[in-house]
Every structure is written in structure tokens, then in C-alpha cells.
Amino acid sequence: MFTSSLSTEQQRDLAKRLTAFLSQYSHVSDSYIIEFFTEDLWHTLPNTWQPVLQDLSYPQIADLLLDAAHRDKKYPSVWPLSLLAFRATAHALAFPRECRRGRGTAAGSEKPEEFLHNQSQSALLGHIFRKHVKPKKQHEIRKLGSLVKQLCDQTDCNSVMDVGSGQGHLTRFLSFGLGLSVTAIEADHTLVAMASKFDEQLLWALEKERQKKNCSSLVPVSQSSPRHVAGWVNPKASWEAFIKQLSVSDRVDDGLPTPSGPSKKRLRGCELQGASHVVRTSSCRVCTDSESRSQDSESSSQRQSSKSESEEEPSAGKRCLCGENSQRHPDFVLTGLHACGDLSATLLRHFVSCPYVRGITSVACCYMKITTKENPAPPGVVAAPQTPSREALPSKFGYPMSSWVGGLPGHQLSYKAREGACHATEDYTRRLREESELLRTHCYRATLETFIRETRPDLRRAGIQTIKKAHLLPFTQYARLGLARVGLPPGLPLAPQRVEAMLKQQRRVVVYFSLALLLAPVVETLVLLDRMIYLQENGVDSQLVPLFDPNFSPRNFVLVALKT
């Protein structure tokens, strides 16, 4: 599964077709649904599309537009060929999102089969790894953790760097459950502290389990704890700086309490629903895999380290990842579970450049926070410090990463197109089939935008944020709450007849949003394909694996690569 499924020429040809298609329909992917009335979005659609789309029922929208797998298509009228081609091309160009292996989704349920008997607890994950973890995250850490372990076995690597580790749920499963030596880095100090607290709780749970099993083959438990580093990964920094950052003293593993007396020991190999509990006894946990390699591998590692030391800063070449003096650097695997914005792109660059990274599993999210040449500072992104004498190079933006995609006409993706790629197509399709009342929310917001714009033209796309249970409120109450949030009088007069006329167009609003949503997987495909081509341009094959159940975890693609 670690070979490329597309040849170089196939990847490049697909990128050309993606950019050509998306640039042709950019007016749809770039539009904001809240401007449906103010920008008259309905009449931007081809004249031949409007009459066949406006009378579709909500289930018909799901079956005829969004669901590529739906076979029994019954058209209420004859569709124009251009609309049929639009739908067929969007489905054909997007990477398949369905999982092809393992257990599927239980019939009549939105969740995978592992939650069939208990909707909040995965039957395939040990109970000690479910504490504090929501079902979606349980599903993700189990499947990604197993994939990371496969990659470690494939590369003869025992060390893992978990970047953007949050509260450490994946870190704990990799460390305590799969026996890997894990260093986790997270920018939020509060989350790092919580991760250490949860580590401590898990250690106590392990000790209780040991006592229940009455095991006698015991080894010290303290050395299997993961190592946590608090720090922000600068996308503009070199891989040498990243390695150095992993060695800083601002970490919270050293003060982790462990049980006293006999409880300092536990059984090697006690099974806790798949937990192997491999324990490392080296004083340097990160370097354990290097110390346990064969003489041939050790000599090869020393030759590679010697070569690297001549190319990097002297201070970086004389320290291992844990900061201890050493002439060797341990190899490791990089992983990032839903690494936000440019962080995923940064990890791929470190994977390519750093000689010690053997493999990577990258799960991306928040595409709207990716930097581009056209939008180098998208909203919500922490700006990287610039070197006074150097500006950010185009190759250092989050998109495009590859030279090939960067050279294609029409490759640009707007903030709105990338934001749309984060939407869950499966969830919206389910709402359509259920004819959910939630579908009226977009029409509510678009109607309110009309009155906000007329009163304050400068308040374009003002952030109202989520109004709790907006779909259950009458529009007048929704409007009062929304107007107050943008600083307008809650009692602002609203023409009842105009409101009623706009609300009657809810079906058109839903259709237009569905057309834009149809493009979301296509945009995501281009972003991820660009990363695959970037790796290929640097001599590394990769594969995109739809690892998670898309009905449960919408950002379900994992980009997998290893260096031979």
C-alpha cells in the first residue's frame, strides 16, 4: 500500500484537468451562500440549468447531484448536457473517499461498526485509550496509529514525532498501546499540560490492570511515557531548526509522577485489547531504535550522520533529538493528525529535506488557512517571523507546493474555495435525504445579509457566528439575535413581504449550495494531488489512503510516504 497508485504522467495530467475544470466553475466555488440574494447568485447559473434545478426535492438533490454512488437516478425532467457533464466531471476528478478496507458503516447508522454496540466507545480500542476521547477521535487514532506502526515496521524505525499533538490522544496510543518511542510537539501549552495529566492517569490505569492480571514478568513503566514538547512549528524555519526545537528543555515529561513501590513495574506483553506495551530501557527514549539496530544498520547510520554533520550547523550535528550529546541522529517517522493549514505542508517539506525522517503520515485539515501567493496571510493564521533580508519564496507557501501545479494556468484557489473543501459532503447529503429543518439556516442567513447590507454597506459578510438552534426559530427572532451580534438595532424594521419572498426561495438556496458543495472534493483533490506531485518531484513516491470513514470523519485522507 506504500506504492504510488498513479504514474508521474497520470498525476500531472490529472492536475491539468483539475485546474481547467475548477477555473471554469470558479464563480461557483468562490461564491458565498450568504450573498445569494445580494449578489443574485441564482441567475449566475446557466439559463438552461435553472428550470430543471429549482423544482428538485431535497432527496432528489442528494441522489441526482451529490451522491456519485446512487445508481437508480430518476430525473423529473430532461437535464441539459452541460449540467450532466458538470456533475459527472466533478465526481470523476475527485479522489474516492470511501474506505476500501476494514469494517464499514453499520446499516442505518452514521457511525462505523466498531460503535454498533456502544455509540460512544469503540469496540476495537482498549478502554484505557478511550478515556477523554470522543468517538470520532477514537476511530481516527486507532486507524492512524495502526498505519503509523506499519510504517515504522516497514522502515525499521521505532521513533515517532507527533506534530500538532493536542491533548496527546494519538501520542498515548502510539506509545503505550503500540510500544513506539514518541515525541509530541504542540503549540498550546494548556493542551500540553492536559496531555501530561492524561498520561499520568493512563499509567495508573495500566497499574490497576497489571494488578488484576497478577502478572509477574515486570519491567519499569516510566520509560514508556511519551515525551511532550511545547512549541510552535514555524513554517518558514529549516528542518535543522525543527530538530533543534524537539530538543529544547521546555517539555513536561520529566516531572510525570509514577506509581510507587511494586506499582513501578508492569507486565511485558499484557494484552489490553491490542496494547503491546513495548518498553524501552535506554536512557534516551528517542534514540532507542538506533541503539537496538544491527551492526550493519548502525554503521550505515553513522555514515549518514557523518555526511549530514558536514552540511548542517555544528551545534545541530552533535546532538540527538533528545538533546543529549551523540554522534548519531535516530531515524524517525513524522505524523500529524489533522495538522492545520500550512503545518501539513511544513511537515512534508521536513520529510523531504531532513535525512532522519524515514516516513510520514499526513492528515490535513483547514485548507482555508493554507498560505498562497495571492493570500499570504489568511484569517486566523499566526504569521511566521520574516528574516529582514528575505521575503517568503513562492515555494514556501502552503499551496501550491509543486512546481508543476504552480506552472499550470488557472491553478489558483481562493480562500472561499479552500474553505468549501472543508465541508462534509456526506453530512449534507444525509440532511437532504432526511429533509432536515437544518437546511433552512443558509436561507435565513442570506435573507438577513440583505438587510444588513442595505443598512450598513460596509458590513459585508459580517461574522454572526452560530446562533443556537437557529433552524427552530422563526425568522424574526433569528434576525433580532443576528442584528445584535453585528452591532445593529435588534428592532430594525424588516419588510415582511420581502422576507416572505426570500424565504420562499429556500429550495434555490439549497440547490446552489449543493452545486458549490459538489466542487468541494475536487478542490481537496487538487490540494492533495499537488502535495503528491511535490513529493514525486523530490524523488519520493506516495499514496493517498482514504483511511477513516468519511461519514464519521470528513477529512479522511492520509498521505503516506516513505524513503527507500
Side-chain angles (χ1 to χ4, degrees):
M1 72 182 295
F2 300 125
T3 57
S4 177
S5 58
L6 295 174
S7 68
T8 300
E9 289 305 314
Q10 287 174 325
Q11 288 181 2
R12 293 184 173 187
D13 180 65
L14 178 56
K16 288 173 64 176
R17 288 185 285 142
L18 284 164
T19 53
F21 178 68
L22 288 172
S23 60
Q24 181 179 354
Y25 292 101
S26 61
H27 64 283
V28 177
S29 60
D30 293 353
S31 60
Y32 289 78
I33 197 63
I34 67 173
E35 296 180 328
F36 183 83
F37 298 114
T38 57
E39 302 298 324
D40 195 17
L41 295 181
W42 181 255
H43 291 102
T44 64
L45 298 175
N47 292 333
T48 55
W49 293 19
Q50 297 172 26
V52 300
L53 292 175
Q54 66 182 1
D55 295 325
L56 293 178
S57 68
Y58 294 141
Q60 286 174 331
I61 296 171
D63 294 342
L64 301 180
L65 272 181
L66 294 181
D67 189 355
H70 187 75
R71 297 291 177 238
D72 188 21
K73 289 182 167 59
K74 297 179 180 179
Y75 297 90
S77 60
V78 178
W79 281 23
L81 289 177
S82 60
L83 179 56
L84 292 171
F86 169 78
R87 182 199 62 196
T89 305
H91 287 311
L93 291 180
F95 284 135
R97 291 169 52 78
E98 292 298 323
C99 305
R100 298 182 182 180
R101 291 185 177 87
R103 299 169 183 252
T105 302
S109 172
E110 302 171 9
K111 295 184 177 181
E113 288 182 2
E114 62 193 280
F115 297 95
L116 186 60
H117 299 295
N118 189 325
Q119 292 197 359
S120 62
Q121 295 186 5
S122 168
L124 303 178
L125 189 67
H127 69 91
I128 59 172
F129 302 111
R130 298 195 300 250
K131 188 175 183 181
H132 308 296
V133 186
K134 294 181 179 179
K136 173 177 175 290
K137 184 70 72 174
Q138 294 177 31
H139 173 71
E140 292 166 350
I141 65 173
R142 180 184 67 81
K143 301 205 76 171
L144 183 59
S146 299
L147 180 58
V148 171
K149 182 64 166 66
Q150 290 180 42
L151 208 63
C152 287
D153 292 342
Q154 186 89 357
T155 57
D156 191 27
C157 235
N158 196 53
S159 294
V160 177
M161 303 300 152
D162 181 10
V163 183
S165 53
Q167 298 178 45
H169 301 312
L170 175 62
T171 301
R172 273 183 295 282
F173 182 60
L174 292 171
S175 180
F176 295 106
L178 300 176
L180 298 171
S181 177
V182 187
T183 296
I185 182 168
E186 166 60 43
D188 190 326
H189 287 241
T190 301
L191 296 181
V192 173
M194 291 176 66
S196 284
K197 177 182 176 181
F198 294 159
D199 286 354
E200 178 186 352
Q201 293 175 358
L202 189 142
L203 285 171
W204 282 103
L206 283 174
E207 171 58 19
K208 291 180 180 178
E209 194 71 22
R210 184 199 69 80
Q211 293 176 355
K212 288 180 182 178
K213 301 276 185 180
N214 193 26
C215 302
S216 57
S217 291
L218 306 176
V219 294
V221 67
S222 60
Q223 291 182 14
S224 39
S225 302
R227 178 172 171 271
H228 295 282
V229 176
W232 178 66
V233 177
N234 186 345
K236 305 299 182 185
S238 65
W239 68 262
E240 291 93 345
F242 174 65
I243 293 292
K244 186 176 181 180
Q245 186 176 21
L246 294 173
S247 307
V248 298
S249 58
D250 185 13
R251 52 185 183 249
V252 292
D253 61 316
D254 297 331
L256 192 65
T258 55
S260 58
S263 64
K264 286 185 179 179
K265 298 177 178 289
R266 63 179 174 84
L267 171 69
R268 181 193 303 271
C270 264
E271 294 290 334
L272 294 181
Q273 283 193 319
S276 61
H277 307 316
V278 177
V279 177
R280 294 159 297 283
T281 56
S282 166
S283 61
C284 173
R285 291 196 301 273
V286 184
C287 299
T288 302
D289 59 329
S290 291
E291 296 177 357
S292 62
R293 290 177 182 168
S294 65
Q295 186 65 37
D296 290 342
S297 298
E298 189 171 310
S299 299
S300 175
S301 176
Q302 289 174 343
R303 288 195 301 270
Q304 182 182 26
S305 179
S306 176
K307 178 181 176 181
S308 301
E309 287 169 10
S310 65
E311 299 172 351
E312 62 186 6
E313 297 177 6
S315 59
K318 295 183 179 180
R319 286 187 178 273
C320 65
L321 297 183
C322 64
E324 297 179 5
N325 291 327
S326 175
Q327 294 302 315
R328 295 181 306 180
H329 286 263
D331 291 345
F332 60 92
V333 168
L334 266 178
T335 189
L337 176 53
H338 292 142
C340 183
D342 274 4
L343 183 55
S344 291
T346 300
L347 297 185
L348 289 173
R349 288 194 173 98
H350 289 333
F351 166 69
V352 165
S353 303
C354 179
Y356 313 120
V357 186
R358 296 291 307 281
I360 186 170
T361 62
S362 172
V363 186
C365 73
C366 302
Y367 300 122
M368 66 284 194
K369 294 185 179 180
I370 294 173
T371 59
T372 65
K373 182 179 180 180
E374 299 76 28
N375 190 359
V381 174
V382 177
Q386 289 286 346
T387 303
S389 61
R390 181 182 301 176
E391 294 295 328
L393 300 175
S395 61
K396 295 302 182 183
F397 292 119
Y399 173 85
M401 293 186 68
S402 69
S403 300
W404 176 259
V405 172
L408 293 175
H411 72 271
Q412 295 83 1
L413 293 175
S414 69
Y415 174 89
K416 183 61 184 71
R418 289 179 280 113
E419 187 272 335
C422 297
H423 289 190
T425 306
E426 292 79 11
D427 181 63
Y428 199 74
T429 301
R430 192 160 46 247
R431 292 183 187 182
L432 288 168
R433 292 205 170 109
E434 296 171 353
E435 300 186 80
S436 170
E437 291 180 327
L438 290 166
L439 296 171
R440 70 167 54 118
T441 306
H442 284 141
C443 190
Y444 269 19
R445 182 62 184 87
T447 301
L448 183 60
E449 181 73 7
T450 304
F451 294 102
I452 293 175
R453 196 81 64 86
E454 290 176 355
T455 307
R456 286 276 304 277
D458 58 307
L459 286 180
R460 189 178 184 184
R461 305 173 197 154
I464 289 180
Q465 304 304 322
T466 302
I467 294 177
K468 188 176 181 180
K469 296 183 178 180
H471 60 287
L472 300 179
L473 303 175
F475 177 76
T476 51
Q477 186 176 350
Y478 169 85
R480 285 197 296 270
L481 295 172
L483 289 169
R485 294 189 179 190
V486 297
L488 293 177
L492 186 73
L494 306 176
Q497 292 182 340
R498 291 184 62 201
V499 170
E500 182 180 0
M502 285 186 276
L503 294 182
K504 284 182 177 179
Q505 298 188 57
Q506 177 179 318
R507 197 179 302 274
R508 289 185 175 185
V509 175
V510 171
V511 166
Y512 191 93
F513 182 79
S514 298
L515 291 172
L517 193 60
L518 186 58
L519 295 174
V522 186
V523 174
E524 181 177 38
T525 296
L526 179 56
V527 172
L528 297 178
L529 178 63
D530 168 60
R531 296 176 180 184
M532 295 178 70
I533 296 175
Y534 165 79
L535 292 175
Q536 182 275 323
E537 289 175 346
N538 285 276
V540 181
D541 286 336
S542 63
Q543 180 155 351
L544 206 59
V545 182
L547 189 66
F548 311 137
D549 186 327
N551 295 284
F552 200 43
S553 179
R555 302 281 67 76
N556 70 325
F557 283 116
V558 184
L559 184 57
V560 185
L562 59 81
K563 297 174 184 174
T564 56

